[in-house]
């Protein structure tokens, strides 16, 4: 119901939970070494992953850079063109 009603906070919370569960909590991603991964928070790791997926956009945070929809569209395009 929240998704159909367009409740943005619940939708983003669901997306964050899925990402955290399936990607961020993994010990190491392919392009990381162990020491680097241990020093970063899950939020920093997610931001780094997004920056690697969308190198053309200067994404540096999870608030201002997401307001116009360009970052989300580019991220979706990079994952499933």
């Amino acid at each position: 119901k929240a998704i159909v009603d367009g409740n943005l906070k619940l939708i983003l919370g669901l997306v964050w939970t899925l990402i955290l569960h399936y990607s961020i909590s993994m010990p190491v991603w392919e392009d990381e070494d162990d020491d680097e991964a241990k020093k970063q928070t899950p939020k920093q790791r997610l931001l780094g992953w997004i920056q690697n997926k969308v190198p053309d956009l200067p994404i540096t945070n999870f608030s201002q850079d997401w307001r116009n929809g360009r970052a989300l569209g580019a991220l979706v395009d990079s994952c499933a063109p």
Side-chain angles (χ1 to χ4, degrees):
K1 184 177 183 319
I3 293 172
V4 173
D5 291 343
N7 186 328
L8 187 59
K9 284 189 177 188
L10 287 178
I11 293 169
L12 291 176
L14 172 65
V15 170
W16 173 253
T17 301
L18 291 171
I19 290 170
L20 185 62
H21 182 71
Y22 290 106
S23 292
I24 306 270
S25 60
M26 292 170 44
V28 176
W29 290 340
E30 297 168 2
D31 58 347
E32 289 181 328
D33 58 17
D34 290 326
D35 294 335
E36 179 185 339
K38 289 178 184 176
K39 293 177 185 175
Q40 292 182 329
T41 66
K43 189 174 180 179
Q44 291 169 328
R45 293 181 73 202
L46 178 62
L47 189 59
W49 178 81
I50 291 170
Q51 290 167 340
N52 285 335
K53 285 289 197 179
V54 188
D56 299 336
L57 288 178
I59 299 172
T60 58
N61 60 60
F62 289 107
S63 56
Q64 288 292 110
D65 293 344
W66 296 90
R67 292 189 183 210
N68 64 6
R70 288 181 47 216
L72 182 60
L75 182 60
V76 168
D77 243 9
S78 74
C79 293

